[in-house]
Amino acid sequence: MDLFRTKSVERSIAETDEPEHRLKKELSAWDLTVFGVGVMVGTGIFVLTGEQAFSNAGPAIVISFVLAGIACGLAALCYAEFASTVPVAGSAYTFSYATLGELVAWIIGWDLVLELALGAAVVARGWSAYLQSLLDLPTWLAGDDAIPDFGAIAIVLALTVVGVLGTKLSGRFASVLVIVKVAVVTFVIVAGLFFIKASNYTPFVPDSQPSKGESGLDSTLLQSIFGIEPTVFGVYGIIAAASVVFFAFIGFDIVATSAEETKNPQRDVPRGILGSLAIVTLMYAAVSFVVTGMLKYSDERMNTAAPLAEAFKANDLDWASKIISVGAVAGLTTVILVLMLGQARVLFAMSRDGLLPVSLAKVHPRFGTPFRITIITGLFVAALAGFVPLSELSKPSASARCSPSSSCRPASSSCGAPAATCTGRSGSPGCRSSRCCRSRPACGSWSTSRSRPGSGS
């Protein structure tokens, strides 16, 4: 048995035409762009802008977002090239099987599955908490204190049904929610422009200041290799902020999992990946420009759980927080949907390759979706979201895709931030009360399978 045998691109493509395992090719570049924007833009757009402006970059946080977008664009080019060359479901799993061999593909496949499953469960808990806060639902029904969390279970099961009924339907459903989300962000940008104070942009790049360096594994690369002491603000601060906000872009890679269901993958997959990344970069830069113009970057309110809401409150626009909450609910819904679709496609590819029971890869004769795997993954995510507390799901040791782009939990109204997540430890400037972080012993240590943006990686 050769653990490093590879699977040729020709064979992978040929297997996509097998009747029992053939997915419907229904997606266009627009659908892929919607998926990309849907999974990348979560409530983190309202959190990291103020936090990193306050602690690292000042108003130059706009430059940090652009630099992070460019870095992600280079990675996106790789994914676009792979996905158009090997237009088969599975994303990094499929690419690894074709180049590095079966063992590496097996490891990467399960890594993706666990990452996407835990990420969807965490975001589902966050969705439930937002809904409970927005509609003032009973705490036993939805939210942090609900075990089981019926709100999280309901949204996961509902999106599982959408996933079974067809990828095109999922795309249309996501399109509506993404339009709502983008409309809310656009409203925030346009409304905020009328309350910008030019003096808040001075200095645009604050003078650098020494910061407390870390040691050992927590030290930065420049500090470890070249002995350069880290600073905040200045050029170093801009780059440091870019390394943190980079994680707000994670998610564009999931678009590649839908390559097999795309009508013209060679043309549409690159357009979908790069188009969604360009839109998100523009939105992040615009929001950061507005929030730093509405509220001075050095104001303590910028380092709270909801800097954008605080910026509006500072200008006597308290009502805007409700609109932001509506955008957050819509935004988290699309994140859950796309994460679950990606997870199902990775498992489908593994089953079709024989690394899991082949019977699981059977496609529904009418809807053209891997319905068995979709149902199984939906039930698994629903169980995680419904019965495992958010504090356990989002521990730093968990490999959830709980990035700033898919913020996990809304702060309660007592934290003064009904539309954002906790970004600091209890008692820190990021939390206005211990209640704000009662379920997050280390809120701010966002756990991803790649790094922890809260640690300044």
Side-chain angles (χ1 to χ4, degrees):
M1 182 178 180
D2 185 3
L3 294 179
F4 295 96
R5 62 183 178 183
T6 59
K7 185 176 181 180
S8 68
V9 174
E10 293 76 14
R11 180 183 169 193
S12 295
I13 295 176
E15 288 182 354
T16 63
D17 289 328
E18 295 177 1
E20 286 192 348
H21 304 147
R22 183 188 301 153
L23 298 174
K24 280 190 175 181
K25 297 183 179 294
E26 300 179 310
L27 300 179
S28 63
W30 166 258
D31 296 313
L32 297 178
T33 302
V34 166
F35 284 156
V37 174
V39 75
M40 277 189 278
V41 179
T43 53
I45 195 172
F46 305 114
V47 179
L48 283 182
T49 48
E51 177 193 330
Q52 289 303 308
F54 177 86
S55 60
N56 272 323
I61 185 66
V62 177
I63 301 176
S64 299
F65 272 109
V66 173
L67 291 176
I70 293 173
C72 284
L74 298 177
L77 287 172
C78 298
Y79 271 95
E81 177 70 18
F82 270 120
S84 58
T85 304
V86 191
V88 178
S91 186
Y93 158 77
T94 300
F95 308 152
S96 300
Y97 208 160
T99 55
L100 301 175
E102 188 172 279
L103 178 61
V104 175
W106 166 265
I107 295 172
I108 290 180
W110 278 112
D111 175 60
L112 286 172
V113 168
L114 294 175
E115 174 188 359
L116 298 176
L118 287 175
V122 170
V123 179
R125 292 287 300 201
W127 183 94
S128 177
Y130 268 105
L131 191 70
Q132 189 274 330
S133 174
L134 188 63
L135 302 180
D136 197 23
L137 298 174
T139 56
W140 60 265
L141 183 65
D144 291 336
D145 299 326
I147 300 291
D149 187 340
F150 293 102
I153 294 173
I155 186 61
V156 170
L157 294 181
L159 294 179
T160 298
V161 173
V162 173
V164 170
L165 293 180
T167 308
K168 189 64 176 179
L169 175 62
S170 300
R172 290 173 179 169
F173 180 71
S175 296
V176 173
L177 295 179
V178 166
I179 289 172
V180 172
K181 178 163 54 176
V182 172
V184 170
V185 174
T186 303
F187 160 79
V188 167
I189 294 170
V190 174
L193 286 174
F194 292 96
F195 298 92
I196 286 178
K197 301 178 181 66
S199 59
N200 289 337
Y201 293 121
T202 305
F204 187 75
V205 182
D207 294 334
S208 62
Q209 303 172 13
S211 67
K212 181 180 179 182
E214 300 289 348
S215 59
L217 294 177
D218 291 329
S219 61
T220 65
L221 185 63
L222 292 177
Q223 184 180 359
S224 300
I225 297 179
F226 301 106
I228 299 176
E229 291 300 319
T231 61
V232 294
F233 303 119
V235 175
Y236 191 102
I238 293 174
I239 296 174
S243 70
V244 176
V245 302
F246 173 88
F247 293 89
F249 293 90
I250 289 178
F252 63 84
D253 52 309
I254 298 179
V255 174
T257 64
S258 301
E260 189 174 332
E261 296 164 275
T262 305
K263 297 175 182 176
N264 188 342
Q266 284 74 20
R267 180 194 67 188
D268 293 341
V269 172
R271 289 182 179 181
I273 293 177
L274 297 175
S276 60
L277 190 59
I279 292 171
V280 169
T281 301
L282 180 62
M283 291 172 63
Y284 280 155
V287 168
S288 60
F289 177 80
V290 168
V291 71
T292 52
M294 294 177 68
L295 192 62
K296 189 72 174 179
Y297 75 91
S298 56
D299 193 306
E300 286 287 342
R301 288 172 291 184
M302 289 289 278
N303 195 35
T304 60
L308 192 54
E310 291 295 338
F312 274 88
K313 288 179 181 178
N315 290 276
D316 300 322
L317 296 170
D318 293 4
W319 51 268
S321 62
K322 285 294 183 183
I323 296 179
I324 295 173
S325 292
V326 171
V329 170
L332 293 184
T333 303
T334 59
V335 172
I336 300 168
L337 175 62
V338 178
L339 289 177
M340 291 177 61
L341 285 175
Q343 180 194 13
R345 269 49 184 182
V346 173
L347 283 172
F348 168 77
M350 293 177 70
S351 299
R352 187 169 57 188
D353 290 339
L355 300 184
L356 290 173
V358 179
S359 59
L360 294 178
K362 185 175 176 60
V363 171
H364 195 282
R366 177 181 175 186
F367 304 122
T369 57
F371 66 103
R372 292 178 179 174
I373 286 180
T374 302
I375 293 172
I376 291 172
T377 55
L379 293 175
F380 178 69
V381 172
L384 281 178
F387 296 96
V388 181
L390 181 60
S391 58
E392 295 297 321
L393 282 173
S394 54
K395 277 183 177 179
S397 58
S399 60
R401 184 184 285 267
C402 182
S403 67
S405 66
S406 56
S407 300
C408 304
R409 173 183 182 272
S412 63
S413 56
S414 66
C415 301
T421 60
C422 170
T423 58
R425 295 180 185 274
S426 177
S428 72
C431 278
R432 294 202 162 186
S433 70
S434 59
R435 180 183 171 198
C436 177
C437 297
R438 65 183 183 275
S439 69
R440 293 284 310 235
C443 190
S445 298
W446 301 101
S447 62
T448 70
S449 64
R450 304 160 199 235
S451 186
R452 295 186 296 113
S455 64
S457 54

